[in-house]
Amino acid sequence: MPESQEKIQSEIENRNLTDFALAELTKPIGETELENCPRCGSNLFQEIKETELRSTKYGGYEVEINSRKCRICSYNPQMDKPINWKVRLDRFLGKYSWTKLK
């Protein structure tokens, strides 16, 4: 947007930022580790326990689902929509599934 570009340019001029300094400020997050959040790269998670009732033909049973939600961006890889093909593949392979029968 033109207004946003003007604000950004004026802020760059006010702070006397060079191209090198801008590149350092905007460098992407490196490779995420297995235990990091795929969205923000944080390793701070909150454990969430939920129960689901799964019905069968003549009855049902409860399943306890343990999932992890990022404390920074609130992304839950098990419950939320996958953000890219890598997360979709990890979900398919069962990386984010922690189910326990009661």
Side-chain angles (χ1 to χ4, degrees):
M1 304 289 287
E3 292 178 12
S4 298
Q5 290 176 356
E6 290 173 9
K7 288 180 182 179
I8 291 171
Q9 285 298 330
S10 66
E11 192 64 31
I12 289 172
E13 292 169 2
N14 289 342
R15 294 184 184 194
N16 296 327
L17 295 174
T18 62
D19 290 337
F20 181 72
L22 284 174
E24 283 294 315
L25 290 173
T26 59
K27 69 180 179 179
I29 297 174
E31 289 292 320
T32 59
E33 297 177 15
L34 290 177
E35 294 297 318
N36 290 357
C37 175
R39 181 184 285 171
C40 68
S42 170
N43 61 357
L44 303 172
F45 289 98
Q46 174 183 7
E47 296 277 336
I48 299 173
K49 293 184 181 183
E50 297 176 357
T51 57
E52 284 185 2
L53 180 62
R54 297 195 178 166
S55 60
T56 59
K57 189 173 182 180
Y58 298 108
Y61 58 96
E62 285 187 353
V63 176
E64 183 177 284
I65 299 174
N66 298 328
S67 64
R68 296 171 38 179
K69 181 170 130 179
C70 179
R71 289 184 177 189
I72 305 299
C73 66
S74 297
Y75 182 69
N76 187 341
Q78 187 178 3
M79 301 292 181
D80 296 341
K81 182 180 174 186
I83 55 176
N84 59 26
W85 67 272
K86 290 179 186 176
V87 175
R88 193 175 305 126
L89 178 66
D90 287 341
R91 182 192 252 177
F92 177 75
L93 294 175
K95 177 183 170 196
Y96 297 117
S97 60
W98 299 283
T99 58
K100 188 190 320 179
L101 294 176
K102 272 190 168 182

